[in-house]
Amino acid sequence: MQGAHDDGAVLLQCQGRTGVITLNRPRALNALTHPMVLRIDEALTAWAQDPAVDQVLIRGAGERGLCAGGDIRAIHDDAKAGSAASADFWRDEYRLNARIARYPKPYVALMDGIVMGGGVGVSAHGDVRVVTERSRVAMPETGIGFVPDVGGTWLLGRTPGLLGTHLALTGAAVGAADALLCGLADHFVPADRLPELVAALAAEPAHEVLPRYAATPPPGVLADGRTWIDHCYAADTVEEIVGRLLARKEPAAVRAAAAILAKSPTALKVTLAALRRAAALGSLEAALAQEFRVSCNALRSPDLVEGIRAQVVDKDRDPRWSPASLAEVADADVERFFAPLAAGDPGFG
């Protein structure tokens, strides 16, 4: 299949009756660019109407991961320049996330290795999601002064108890068992059996194939932490959440507090508000529309540029957040992220 955005970063082929999407930027951990999003969307549009295609499979090239997220260096440059390129990218990316969730044919995602940010968006909304012992699934946006997007607030707001709030604020990556527990994945398959699984999917429907390959994953860590997680993250504010974590005896709770305090104070408060508002929304599309407003407004936040600078550009891992403390972030500062976009902006839809 050829397309207008064919630069080799997304490979498309049909294996038997399965349409296969391969994200092909292994050096960049298959990070998504705008042309890649458009290419995937074109393929899904064509295959939805193709009677020769019964199901779709998405995977990442190389052995390091499905996808580490969006191209945040490009977002950094865009935010500094004040252009609209990131908003255009997010609009198409979020539309793709919604399409995946409503896709009329089985959509199988191999969530092997690193699956973060935008990688979650092109996988966890599918209806057949496979993790391996190498999987590391995360929404780490608060660490770059950003807020979970690509439907992340919708997914994390629907985990058992308050596990999703813990993951959103800390940015922690989880392995296979915890991804299954949180509802971010459906099946565990050992990584060395993935080639056999892909070959089998070329000939048979996913629902018939997966039971032959699914196994029990190595133990996770979140189930044992439910008591302190559900108690601490039920607090009304980020400050109170941190206070409850620090008051616990469990070392994991204290480590969680330290992880949170290293993140952007503004992004933390906006994330908590976004999660709780998304929980009250009636659909993924409504949550994506909210995320689009938050993401576009984040482009004007100094923490997004600073966070990406510290983590990706200069790599000094020493962001200087503004404001620097949770106490300095006012309610009005949070509300600005949820404000309607400028008149004439098409928004998400």
Side-chain angles (χ1 to χ4, degrees):
M1 179 186 295
Q2 300 297 312
H5 312 283
D6 189 6
D7 63 355
V10 176
L11 305 178
L12 306 172
Q13 63 182 130
C14 286
Q15 296 182 0
R17 300 188 65 83
T18 298
V20 180
I21 301 167
T22 304
L23 306 183
N24 189 39
R25 297 182 68 209
R27 285 186 166 184
L29 279 171
N30 301 317
L32 292 172
T33 63
H34 198 169
M36 290 171 70
V37 166
L38 297 176
R39 180 97 161 110
I40 296 167
D41 190 69
E42 287 175 356
L44 293 182
T45 298
W47 285 338
Q49 304 169 25
D50 187 344
V53 175
D54 291 337
Q55 58 194 1
V56 171
L57 170 72
I58 188 166
R59 62 186 179 182
E63 296 185 349
R64 296 172 64 198
L66 170 66
C67 174
D71 187 346
I72 59 174
R73 185 182 286 268
I75 293 171
H76 169 273
D77 295 344
D78 181 39
K80 289 187 69 174
S83 79
S86 291
D88 293 339
F89 166 61
W90 287 325
R91 184 181 294 109
D92 288 329
E93 183 183 25
Y94 299 176
R95 287 172 176 167
L96 175 62
N97 302 146
R99 175 188 285 267
I100 290 168
R102 308 286 180 244
Y103 203 61
K105 297 178 180 181
Y107 182 98
V108 184
L110 300 187
M111 300 171 69
D112 183 33
I114 293 174
V115 185
M116 297 184 178
V120 173
V122 296
S123 59
H125 296 298
D127 47 9
V128 184
R129 304 160 302 172
V130 177
V131 284
T132 75
E133 72 278 7
R134 302 187 299 203
S135 295
R136 302 298 295 165
V137 183
M139 295 297 294
E141 286 77 10
T142 55
I144 58 166
F146 197 46
V147 178
D149 66 336
V150 299
T153 60
W154 177 259
L155 292 167
L156 295 177
R158 281 156 179 76
T159 59
L162 293 169
L163 294 177
T165 305
H166 169 65
L167 298 182
L169 296 184
T170 63
V174 298
D178 289 330
L180 293 167
L181 172 64
C182 290
L184 301 173
D186 307 296
H187 306 278
F188 169 79
V189 175
D192 62 4
R193 300 203 71 190
L194 290 182
E196 298 173 52
L197 172 62
V198 172
L201 287 169
E204 300 175 77
H207 72 273
E208 295 181 8
V209 170
L210 262 303
R212 301 204 302 267
Y213 292 89
T216 301
V221 299
L222 291 181
D224 290 342
R226 281 290 302 278
T227 299
W228 64 263
I229 288 172
D230 290 349
H231 167 73
C232 294
Y233 291 94
D236 291 334
T237 66
V238 179
E239 292 95 325
E240 188 179 354
I241 289 171
V242 171
R244 290 188 182 187
L245 289 168
L246 291 173
R248 300 291 298 194
K249 296 179 180 179
E250 296 88 349
V254 178
R255 289 195 297 270
I260 291 171
L261 290 172
K263 307 297 190 289
S264 158
T266 301
L268 289 168
K269 289 199 171 185
V270 176
T271 293
L272 184 62
L275 279 172
R276 293 183 173 175
R277 295 182 191 203
L281 297 174
S283 68
L284 168 63
E285 287 80 1
L288 287 165
Q290 173 178 274
E291 290 175 359
F292 185 75
R293 292 196 304 277
V294 170
S295 296
C296 290
N297 287 323
L299 283 174
R300 296 186 286 275
S301 166
D303 278 3
L304 179 58
V305 171
E306 174 61 10
I308 298 175
R309 179 208 64 77
Q311 297 297 331
V312 177
V313 180
D314 296 336
K315 299 182 180 179
D316 58 25
R317 306 292 193 268
D318 185 27
R320 293 169 174 79
W321 305 122
S322 179
S325 70
L326 290 165
E328 295 175 86
V329 182
D331 291 345
D333 297 327
V334 174
E335 285 303 316
R336 277 195 284 272
F337 284 77
F338 297 90
L341 301 177
D345 190 298
F348 164 82

